[in-house]
Amino acid sequence: LPARELFQELARLIEASEDLPFCSRLVQTLSGILHTSPALWELRDLLRAASRDPAGAELFHALHRAWCHNPVALLALCLLAQAYEHAAALIGAFSELDVDLDLLLQLDRLVQLIESPVFAHLRLHLLEPEKHPLLIKAVFGLLMLLPQSAAFRTLQQRLSPVPQLGLLRLSSPSMAEGGARDKGQGAKVDPAPGPGPAKLLDARALQAAFVEVQARHMEHARAMQERERLARTSEAGSGAGPGPDAKPSGSQGSSVGAAP
């Protein structure tokens, strides 16, 4: 099968599977292949255009439901597809996840991936914070999730060239007031954009799908913990020895009676 059809078919199989831990591990593996294999450059180019090209958006949606099984893999997919609004929402949802060692290791590898040529477009977009404010929010949020480690320092150094003036203007309330004042004074303003290609990716619907899949993972984790607790309780009960008032077994009496 061509790479596109292969990934779409695997995504359908993952979406239909009930083995949630296996789905998460498989998506993690497929994500690594998608972002690093030289043979998949056409697939990556198609995904980079997902926010403006219907074919790229179709591929993104085909993978998205399966990629929801692994939050870090989904974040990498959103950054590749320039779905920055969804990426920023994902970062906010990470606070509700169980941030264990495995998740931190995956985030560490994501930072290394951001430094690769595959994400050159993302690094260039960081130089335009006013055009890509949600990307800035997502990457700074990723930085805040990382512990003080080599990955943290790498990402911190990558963000250091981000124009500080642009960041200040993003957070300045005077920008909004100035815009309203200019409109009130009849100043020339750019016309409001109509429904553009970005509507191909509905961030709210995508986030809702992610929350739904992660709720299944949380329910599965709770069920596994309860099962392990019951197993430990059962083992402890069966392994308990006889109490101090227990009578000796009949074998001793038989042997005494059999003595001459």
Side-chain angles (χ1 to χ4, degrees):
L1 287 176
R4 178 178 176 179
E5 295 180 13
L6 176 61
F7 268 78
Q8 288 178 328
E9 182 61 27
L10 286 172
R12 282 192 289 269
L13 293 174
I14 292 171
E15 185 177 349
S17 175
E18 295 296 330
D19 190 344
L20 301 184
F22 173 75
C23 290
S24 179
R25 292 191 299 270
L26 181 56
V27 167
Q28 181 180 346
T29 301
L30 292 175
S31 176
I33 296 172
L34 174 63
H35 291 101
T36 59
S37 174
L40 297 179
W41 64 270
E42 291 184 344
L43 208 60
R44 291 192 292 269
D45 281 350
L46 189 59
L47 284 168
R48 286 192 190 98
S51 61
R52 59 184 183 278
D53 177 36
E58 180 184 359
L59 176 60
F60 179 86
H61 283 101
L63 299 181
H64 181 272
R65 187 76 180 186
W67 260 238
C68 285
H69 286 286
N70 189 291
V72 180
L74 181 59
L75 178 59
L77 180 67
C78 290
L79 294 177
L80 177 66
Q82 302 181 40
Y84 297 145
E85 183 178 358
H86 187 23
L90 285 176
I91 289 292
F94 271 53
S95 61
E96 301 177 7
L97 301 178
D98 182 17
V99 183
D100 55 8
L101 179 60
D102 181 61
L103 183 64
L104 291 176
L105 289 175
Q106 291 185 55
L107 290 175
D108 187 283
R109 287 192 287 270
L110 176 58
V111 171
Q112 297 175 30
L113 198 60
I114 291 175
E115 292 297 308
S116 70
V118 172
F119 282 93
H121 68 287
L122 182 148
R123 299 196 298 273
L124 291 175
H125 287 171
L126 291 174
L127 297 176
E128 301 175 311
E130 293 173 305
K131 289 181 63 176
H132 306 286
L134 292 170
L135 170 63
I136 300 297
K137 179 180 179 180
V139 178
F140 270 100
L142 175 59
L143 181 67
M144 294 300 103
L145 288 174
L146 293 169
Q148 297 283 337
S149 60
F152 177 90
R153 291 187 290 273
T154 297
L155 190 57
Q156 187 180 42
Q157 291 172 4
R158 173 58 63 188
L159 289 170
S160 60
V162 175
Q164 297 300 313
L165 180 59
L167 294 179
L168 290 174
R169 294 183 69 184
L170 283 178
S171 60
S172 173
S174 62
M175 287 295 295
E177 295 173 1
R181 184 168 56 252
D182 290 341
K183 289 182 180 180
Q185 294 175 356
K188 181 180 179 180
V189 295
D190 293 333
K199 296 295 183 181
L200 291 172
L201 303 180
D202 186 346
R204 291 187 178 182
L206 294 172
Q207 185 69 13
F210 169 74
V211 170
E212 179 185 345
V213 173
Q214 285 303 307
R216 290 171 56 199
H217 276 269
M218 294 177 66
E219 183 63 29
H220 178 269
R222 284 193 292 266
M224 291 299 297
Q225 290 174 357
E226 180 65 16
R227 188 179 304 173
E228 292 174 1
R229 186 187 67 81
L230 292 176
R232 288 194 299 268
T233 302
S234 177
E235 291 175 1
S238 61
D245 297 332
K247 296 182 179 180
S249 62
S251 59
Q252 184 177 358
S254 300
S255 59
V256 172

